[in-house]
Amino acid sequence: MAAHYQVSGSTSAAISASVESGIRTGALAPGDPLPAVRALAGRLDVSPATVARAYQELRQRGLVVTAGRHGTRVRPRPPVATRRAALAPPPRPGTRDLSAGHPDRRLLPPLGPHLAALAAQFGAPTGYADTAVLPELADAARERFAADGVPAAELTVTGGALDGIERLLAAHLRPGDAVAVEDPGWANLLDLVAALGLRTVGVPVDDEGPSVAGVRSALAAGVRALVVTSRAQNPTGAAVSAERAAALRALLAGRADLLLIEDDHAAELARVPLHPLAGATPAWAFVRSVSKPYGPDLRLAVLAGDEATVARVAGRAQVGAGWVSTVLQRLVLSLWRDPATAELVRRAADGYDRRRDGLVAALAAHGLAAHGRTGINVWVPVPDETVAVTALRDAGWSVAPGGLYRIAAAPAVRLTVSTLDEPDLPPLADALARAVRPVQGGAPY
């Protein structure tokens, strides 16, 4: 913990508020440890139970995490706005940033021509009574879902994939419920589950998706929801195979106590067949975002599911945000209908495949195993994340430590290939090999 910040308070509410203030002002940084319960209780002259209640409240709100002998620490990205400093350290100036997880801006379709065409089409302003899911967008989405075998008689739109997942979890679960998530998995989802006061149960992932044994174990642990990434899993690039989908569907069949959520965030950028689990359980939802193929600023996802689940999500939106802008819906529909945009997305997908596959092959030539079947990320197991991240930084490459994405999975680093060009791959693979197997005394460890 930062030496200049002292937690204060004489009640559990005051102690938790003091910690939150420290996080908000930046005096407590992501990863900073909090004092041990008994040590802080002694300093504040309160009972250990009072400090324990404060820490429990902070955990339930997703501000801190308890990690066994490592004690209680501020989460990497706690759900509170801070006044200074980013939640993750910025890349060192002069290094190539492979840590962000963003698509290549050079490969995103231009929005200007579509916005100009929409401006020419608009008539009278839209009122509150006219806002909903546009029928034309719904029809187009159903056609796209049908092509991938996803039933979509009922659907709605949300402000992106994570917004849809948040609404699903909030509508079905209560604080303290357990959610099965992929391990390693999407850092934003892990943070969201914590912020909702839910508990995570990690499910191991291989190149074919969540393991059957892992899902079976999570079900035995009483999870109320299961979140599966269909393709381009972040961070490993896994994609659910036909065989894995069949095994998971058989395992999940008829589980009326479980909400099944599938996240197909990469959509058209994932150049492998989709093998959906949709409909395996009575309560299910399939979420597909447009952000990765068409641009991160397009905060829209289409959500299909059973009638009750979709009604809950749409109903909650009606008493909250209300709707996703019909201007944005019309823009997405225009992009979907444009053959030139479809060709740009196809080229982008091909480019990501070449970079990702090329990096995996270059690492294999060095004897390094790496995972990256689909998507824009490559997951590289390493003996020590800190050593690897530091060595790569010193060699001019900024990568993400795997600890942001792991629950119990082995150490690794994540590299986003979107900003790479093919000539970058050999020197990057060389740097990774040296980072994973550093040389000491003239010979590898």
Side-chain angles (χ1 to χ4, degrees):
M1 185 175 68
H4 61 277
Y5 188 79
Q6 298 294 318
V7 177
S8 62
S10 58
T11 66
S12 62
I15 294 169
S16 64
S18 174
V19 172
E20 180 176 351
S21 176
I23 296 171
R24 188 173 61 250
T25 60
L28 285 173
D32 274 353
L34 298 185
V37 169
R38 291 190 177 277
L40 183 57
R43 185 170 66 77
L44 299 179
D45 195 23
V46 299
S47 73
T50 298
V51 176
R53 283 196 300 273
Y55 283 11
Q56 181 182 24
E57 178 188 346
L58 292 164
R59 282 195 300 273
Q60 289 175 340
R61 295 177 51 219
L63 296 174
V64 303
V65 61
T66 299
R69 69 176 189 274
H70 298 295
T72 299
R73 294 178 176 270
V74 179
R75 286 188 64 85
R77 291 185 294 182
V80 59
T82 59
R83 289 208 299 263
R84 65 182 178 90
L87 294 177
R92 173 186 282 185
T95 62
R96 292 286 299 277
D97 184 10
L98 309 182
S99 65
H102 301 157
D104 187 347
R105 294 187 183 186
R106 299 170 298 179
L107 300 181
L108 294 174
L111 303 183
H114 296 274
L115 288 168
L118 289 175
Q121 297 170 10
F122 274 114
T126 298
Y128 288 104
D130 302 317
T131 54
V133 179
L134 293 177
E136 313 96 290
L137 182 84
D139 290 343
R142 288 190 178 97
E143 289 181 9
R144 298 167 87 85
F145 278 142
D148 285 325
V150 178
E154 304 292 335
L155 59 78
T156 189
V157 294
T158 62
L162 201 63
D163 178 57
I165 294 172
E166 178 177 4
R167 294 177 186 277
L168 287 162
L169 294 174
H172 283 78
L173 278 65
R174 295 295 177 265
D177 285 346
V179 180
V181 296
E182 295 157 336
D183 182 21
W186 187 20
N188 286 4
L189 176 61
L190 300 181
D191 294 336
L192 173 65
V193 170
L196 292 173
L198 305 171
R199 296 182 293 112
T200 55
V201 175
V203 175
V205 178
D206 59 26
D207 290 338
E208 297 184 59
S211 73
V212 176
V215 173
R216 182 180 293 110
S217 178
L219 294 175
V223 297
R224 295 287 315 284
L226 167 64
V227 184
V228 175
T229 308
S230 304
R231 304 175 287 189
Q233 197 261 3
N234 185 1
T236 71
V240 177
S241 66
E243 295 77 13
R244 184 63 53 81
L248 291 175
R249 290 184 70 91
L251 178 62
L252 299 173
R255 291 292 301 243
D257 57 338
L258 183 78
L259 170 65
L260 171 63
I261 302 173
E262 288 180 272
D263 176 14
D264 189 35
H265 69 101
E268 297 91 336
L269 286 182
R271 303 299 297 276
V272 295
L274 180 72
H275 301 290
L277 307 177
T281 58
W284 64 274
F286 188 98
V287 185
R288 176 175 287 171
S289 169
V290 303
S291 295
K292 284 293 192 303
Y294 302 102
D297 200 31
L298 297 175
R299 310 310 301 160
L300 184 146
V302 182
L303 186 153
D306 66 278
E307 181 179 1
T309 295
V310 172
R312 287 187 183 185
V313 172
R316 180 63 183 85
Q318 289 174 0
V319 298
W323 67 93
V324 173
S325 167
T326 57
V327 176
L328 180 56
Q329 293 185 54
R330 293 181 190 280
L331 175 58
V332 169
L333 184 60
S334 177
L335 291 165
W336 280 353
R337 288 173 168 173
D338 180 23
T341 296
E343 176 61 17
L344 288 175
V345 172
R346 186 193 66 77
R347 291 180 184 176
D350 288 344
Y352 291 140
D353 284 354
R354 287 194 300 273
R355 302 174 199 183
R356 188 192 63 249
D357 294 346
L359 179 57
V360 171
L363 291 172
H366 285 278
L368 297 181
H371 303 274
R373 184 177 168 208
T374 55
I376 63 174
N377 297 306
V378 172
W379 182 253
V380 185
V382 298
D384 186 297
E385 291 179 7
T386 302
V387 170
V389 170
T390 302
L392 285 166
R393 181 199 61 196
D394 293 343
W397 307 93
S398 293
V399 304
L404 294 173
Y405 313 92
R406 299 187 292 109
I407 299 173
V413 294
R414 191 199 73 172
L415 299 87
T416 301
V417 302
S418 55
T419 62
L420 293 172
D421 294 314
E422 291 183 53
D424 298 322
L425 303 182
L428 174 57
D430 290 343
L432 267 164
R434 290 193 298 271
V436 173
R437 293 193 294 266
V439 174
Q440 187 177 64
Y445 283 139

